[in-house]
Amino acid sequence: SSAHEDRAQGKGVFVPVCAGEWMPTPDMSRLGIWALCLLLAGLPLGASGMDGQSNKPSEEEAERVYNDLNCERTRGTEEGVDWDEVRLELFSTPFPQSMATIGPVVQRLQRVAELDREAIMCPFGVIAVLFFFVKFLLESADPNVEMARIYMSLLDAFSSGMHPHLLDAADWLVKDARGVSLRGGM
């Protein structure tokens, strides 16, 4: 079946549109709406502030953020996302071809419990994946600005909890200035 038929049938998976392109599904809209509702309700979604001005991270979370910015500890994991592999793939595959890597991760993050866990394991990876997903939603052949705004809100929830210096120190292709630029383009 074609990607458009799958989308029309409401199948909750990322479906390839053509080589190197991915199309968000209705489940992704539901996640975005759910995440926006949680944001409006003031729930943190697991995004802990590392700047000392908001929710204090546990010692383990702080140690992971300050000493494993590139999430190398997740290498080879069978439980959760192998963020080290995702990061290396983002460096070796130009955007938007990297959607082949980003799409399945975003699909996985549709489950709130999974998003919460991965945000604790690798907040910079979550930020990078959300950044490139929003960029894709805005720059694809058929832009989806409504969904991009929802995911931008989710991206903001995570990135605003990080000090800009930490975002710049992490080796994830997404620096603070790029986030500000994407936000300004909305």
Side-chain angles (χ1 to χ4, degrees):
S1 66
S2 77
H4 295 287
E5 288 170 349
D6 287 345
R7 187 174 184 189
Q9 293 171 7
K11 292 184 180 176
V13 296
F14 256 118
V15 290
V17 176
C18 64
E21 285 191 41
W22 292 86
M23 174 181 280
T25 65
D27 281 352
M28 301 190 85
S29 291
R30 285 191 282 276
L31 171 69
I33 292 167
W34 176 244
L36 184 60
C37 290
L38 289 174
L39 288 173
L40 294 174
L43 298 176
L45 286 171
S48 298
M50 302 296 172
D51 59 4
Q53 299 176 9
S54 50
N55 297 332
K56 297 263 187 215
S58 70
E59 285 184 31
E60 181 183 336
E61 291 169 339
E63 196 276 331
R64 187 179 300 116
V65 166
Y66 290 109
N67 296 317
D68 190 21
L69 297 171
N70 298 328
C71 309
E72 293 168 345
R73 293 178 193 177
T74 66
R75 182 179 298 133
T77 187
E78 296 196 15
E79 181 180 310
V81 176
D82 182 339
W83 288 105
D84 186 53
E85 182 181 323
V86 170
R87 187 178 67 81
L88 295 173
E89 195 64 32
L90 291 177
F91 272 98
S92 66
T93 308
F95 179 81
Q97 290 79 15
S98 59
M99 285 305 297
T101 297
I102 295 165
V105 174
V106 171
Q107 178 185 5
R108 191 178 183 138
L109 297 179
Q110 289 180 32
R111 293 181 298 281
V112 175
E114 193 78 19
L115 175 62
D116 210 26
R117 179 190 180 286
E118 296 303 333
I120 290 169
M121 294 305 296
C122 188
F124 302 106
V126 171
I127 289 168
V129 164
L130 291 173
F131 172 88
F132 285 111
F133 186 64
V134 169
K135 185 173 171 62
F136 173 75
L137 290 171
L138 292 172
E139 296 177 1
S140 66
D142 185 22
N144 189 334
V145 177
E146 286 181 33
M147 193 181 291
R149 285 187 182 126
I150 292 169
Y151 277 91
M152 187 69 205
S153 294
L154 189 58
L155 172 59
D156 275 341
F158 288 106
S159 62
S160 66
M162 293 292 167
H163 191 280
H165 171 73
L166 288 173
L167 283 171
D168 291 343
D171 194 15
W172 277 94
L173 297 175
V174 179
K175 304 300 181 193
D176 184 59
R178 284 189 85 182
V180 170
S181 176
L182 183 66
R183 189 178 307 111
M186 297 283 303

